[in-house]
């Protein structure tokens, strides 16, 4: 007798559910897609407890006829394809006919629906895959699907659900992806009676992007379009002055469906090469439209990945379209000076000019060569540079550092110079506080000569020889240690806002920020939910006062979202400290007064590892006397 038996349908469905229904967000995605396929003009999504208690999707679509109710929740039953040929020309979001059956097998589901040709609606309850009786009921036009107690009958899987906030983050992301793709449909999202999102119908995609993502980004978008053979690429990419620390703002829609495609992400970063700093990701909202026969969407249960028939051609089309577009766009026109409020705005103008020149050079080179590798920047390790010696500095008591440019006491020598500071020698030929200056100061027995060169390096003499110090890297290190100590001691200086400031974020960003509320309060950042995707900032660290609360929150959200699945609170805190210190530190290109140079060099003595910035780059290079002698052929 044979041992193989056909599995009963309820087990088949449970197995399918394992693939299709990973978490509550998957249910939201499937139900919303069905509502879109049904031609709805409005889709309202309500969830309770991160979706584990309830997910309800109400739509205004064409509804389900009483005859179709039972089939709708039967697996491999669909109204969307009829033959295997249709499988290669799918024009709807769904077609596998297994979503409702899968969801129904692992939840208590209630379906209510009415079609336009009927006065009366119908209602059906399915519990763990077992259908009850179809009963008539009053019902608005369209369909209401409620999913209660998701995974209640698969306790092991239910245990894998994460915190409400985390699940809500996934739900908002799934919701956003669909809302972004269909600007003409009105979408709302409500969590535990709190309205999280409300996107009324709009005419243009750009308006929907503004509503969901950020009006400033929407304003800066550069439109792109190209048609090659049967493939149309269109949409927007952000100006390089807007970028993110992760690739979450790279939206790619294929025939109205959100997809992730490694190769096309690569084409995108390739197009931005040289325009963004390493570690920054472009922002894009792109759509591909092609005959469904040119793409197989049936390679992934949630249809997130697809297989293109002409993958190479699409790659080249995307890259080529963007490059051509960048070359014909004055990308530099919007490059803002880094800090307009800084007294050095003339100096910032120089930097803007330099940036502009850099972009022009880049574009010319790209156009001329279209080659791959760019010349690697020289490492700076010229012959004769000795490695930095192991830190021999004792960790002294930390002086409060007052190097922050924004600190009004910054230029006040009285607060900065230690009592043992001695004569300063300034260059008498140049007047003005930003002249190159040569203060010398005796610190802890070491003679320090501080001099700034090229607006970015400080040169100093120590017992070891001649030291060249990267001013930004050193300041960043100094600030990092200082802030870390304050955070651990709970003494961060905060700046309370008289009127708390509301900041609009994307749904996923909002969830991430609220999730990290406790951690943020350690950093003197107080945030609260203000309903929807608005967060109220009531205080933030004084040292970051050159960031607006919106900039601060956006950068934070970036950092939080790129933190991966289970960001360890400690690592996250450390990352934020890095970000803060990098942001607050003086930059390469900032011309320093001699007081500033002196103060910075002195702080060098007090930091635990003054030889490396928090990113691990060296902060200083030492030329020992032997090295110098060798270079000058004295030995
Ligand atoms: P698929 O979407 O792949 O066809 P589903 O299991 O998601 O499979 O849905 C099964 C069928 O139920 C659909 O083909 C459609 O006919 C019907 N259906 C599901 N949701 C809705 C809805 N919101 N409005 C109208 N019909 C729906
Ligand atoms: Mg479906």
């Amino acid at each position: 007798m044979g041992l193989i038996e056909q599995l009963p349908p309820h087990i088949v469905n449970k197995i399918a559910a394992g693939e299709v229904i990973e978490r509550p967000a998957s249910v939201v995605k499937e139900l919303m897609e069905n509502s879109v396929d049904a031609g709805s003009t409005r889709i309202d999504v309500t969830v309770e407890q991160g979706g584990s208690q309830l997910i309800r999707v109400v739509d205004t679509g064409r509804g389900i006829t009483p005859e179709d109710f039972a089939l709708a929740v039967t697996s491999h039953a669909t109204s969307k394809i009829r033959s295997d040929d249709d499988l290669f020309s799918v024009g709807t979001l769904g077609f596998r006919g297994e979503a409702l059956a899968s969801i129904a097998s692992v939840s208590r589901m209630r379906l209510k629906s009415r079609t336009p040709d009927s006065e009366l609606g119908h209602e059906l309850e399915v519990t763990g895959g077992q259908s009850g009786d179809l009963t008539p009921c009053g019902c608005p036009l369209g369909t209401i699907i409620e999913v209660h107690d998701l995974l209640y009958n698969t306790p092991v899987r239910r245990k894998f659900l994460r915190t409400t906030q985390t699940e809500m983050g996934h739900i908002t992301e799934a919701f956003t992806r669909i809302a972004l793709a269909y600007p003409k449909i009105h979408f709302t999202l409500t969590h535990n009676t709190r309205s999280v999102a409300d996107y009324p119908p709009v005419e243009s995609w750009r308006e929907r992007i503004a509503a969901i993502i950020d009006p400033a980004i929407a304003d800066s978008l550069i439109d792109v379009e190209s048609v090659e053979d049967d493939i149309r690429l269109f949409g927007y990419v952000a100006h390089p002055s807007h970028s993110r620390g992760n690739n979450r703002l790279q939206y790619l829609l294929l025939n109205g469906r959100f997809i992730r495609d490694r190769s096309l992400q690569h084409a995108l970063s390739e197009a931005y090469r040289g325009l963004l700093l390493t570690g920054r990701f472009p922002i894009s909202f792109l759509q591909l439209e092609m005959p469904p026969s040119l793409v197989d969407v049936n390679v992934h249960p949630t249809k997130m990945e697809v297989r293109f028939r002409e993958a190479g051609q699409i790659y080249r089309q995307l890259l080529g379209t963007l490059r051509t577009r960048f070359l014909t766009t004055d990308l530099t026109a919007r490059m803002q000076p880094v800090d307009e409020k800084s007294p050095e705005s003339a100096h910032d103008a120089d930097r803007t000019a330099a940036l502009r020149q850099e972009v022009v050079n880049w574009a010319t080179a790209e156009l001329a060569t279209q080659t791959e590798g760019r010349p690697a920047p020289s490492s700076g390790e010229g012959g004769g540079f000795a490695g930095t010696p192991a830190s021999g500095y004792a960790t002294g008591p930390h002086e409060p550092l007052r190097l922050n440019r924004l600190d009004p006491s910054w230029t006040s020598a009285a607060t900065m110079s230690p009592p043992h500071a001695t004569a300063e020698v300034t260059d008498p030929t140049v007047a003005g506080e930003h002249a190159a200056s040569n203060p010398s100061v005796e610190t802890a027995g070491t003679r320090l000569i501080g001099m700034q060169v090229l607006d970015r390096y400080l040169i100093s003499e120590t017992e070891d020889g001649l030291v060249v110090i990267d001013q930004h890297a050193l300041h960043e290190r100094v600030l990092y240690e200082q802030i870390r100590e304050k955070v651990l001691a709970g003494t961060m200086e905060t700046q309370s806002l008289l009127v708390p400031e509301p900041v609009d974020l994307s749904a996923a960003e909002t969830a991430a920020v609220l999730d990290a509320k406790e951690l943020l309060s350690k950093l003197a950042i107080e945030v609260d939910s203000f309903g929807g995707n608005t967060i109220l900032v009531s205080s933030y660290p004084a040292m970051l006062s050159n960031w607006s609360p919106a900039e601060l929150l956006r950068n934070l959200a970036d950092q939080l979202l790129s933190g991966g699945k289970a960001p360890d609170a400690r690592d996250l805190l450390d990352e934020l400290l890095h970000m803060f210190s990098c942001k607050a530190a003086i930059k390469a290109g900032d011309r320093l007064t001699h007081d500033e140079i002196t103060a910075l060099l002195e702080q060098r003595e007090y930091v635990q590892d003054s030889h490396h910035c928090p990113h691990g780059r060296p902060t200083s290079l030492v030329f020992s006397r032997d090295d110098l002698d060798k270079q000058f052929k004295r030995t």
Side-chain angles (χ1 to χ4, degrees), residues 30-31 34-35 37-38 40 59 61-64 68 71-74 77-80 93-101 113 142-143 145 303:
E30 294 294 339
L31 296 184
N34 282 343
S35 298
D37 282 346
S40 308
D59 71 37
R62 66 179 68 91
I64 303 174
D68 276 347
L71 276 176
V73 293
T74 305
T78 177
S79 57
K80 298 172 193 175
L93 293 171
F95 62 83
R96 296 166 67 110
E98 58 186 6
L100 286 191
S113 190
T143 304
I145 297 188
K303 311 182 200 86

Side-chain angles (χ1 to χ4, degrees), residues 84-99:
D84 52 359
D85 281 348
D86 290 351
L87 201 48
F88 300 98
S89 57
V90 175
T92 47
L93 293 171
F95 62 83
R96 296 166 67 110
E98 58 186 6

